[in-house]
Amino acid sequence: SDGGAPIDIPQGATIATNITSQAFSVQGGTPPFSWGVSDTALGTIASTGERTATYVRRTGTGTNLVIVRDSLGIETKTQLTQQ
């Protein structure tokens, strides 16, 4: 274990109108990870792997936050813009 290494997740993703999902992967941190979003009306986390998650959009446009937390409680967020 790397004892609480920071979680690194790509920032600032944008998904176009015709795109229905976006994959995310993390580096660092301590598995297992839990995933969530700030606005479930815009989209949800549909599936997860050890270091990956797939976000699936629902309806509408706007900005959502994808939130990932590791087993030590270290949390990071990335902003996702839906066009």
Side-chain angles (χ1 to χ4, degrees), residues 25-78:
S25 62
V26 295
Q27 303 293 323
T30 306
F33 296 93
S34 59
W35 296 80
V37 296
S38 60
D39 187 346
T40 56
L42 285 175
T44 59
I45 299 298
S47 61
T48 61
E50 185 183 38
R51 290 187 170 272
T52 60
T54 300
Y55 173 92
V56 175
R57 74 184 297 158
R58 286 187 166 166
T59 59
T61 59
T63 301
N64 213 343
L65 287 175
V66 174
I67 304 150
V68 58
R69 183 181 299 113
D70 78 358
S71 61
L72 300 179
I74 299 169
E75 182 178 285
T76 194
K77 300 174 180 155
T78 185

Side-chain angles (χ1 to χ4, degrees), residues 7-19:
I7 302 170
D8 182 38
I9 186 172
Q11 297 291 319
T14 297
I15 54 177
T17 307
N18 61 331
I19 303 298

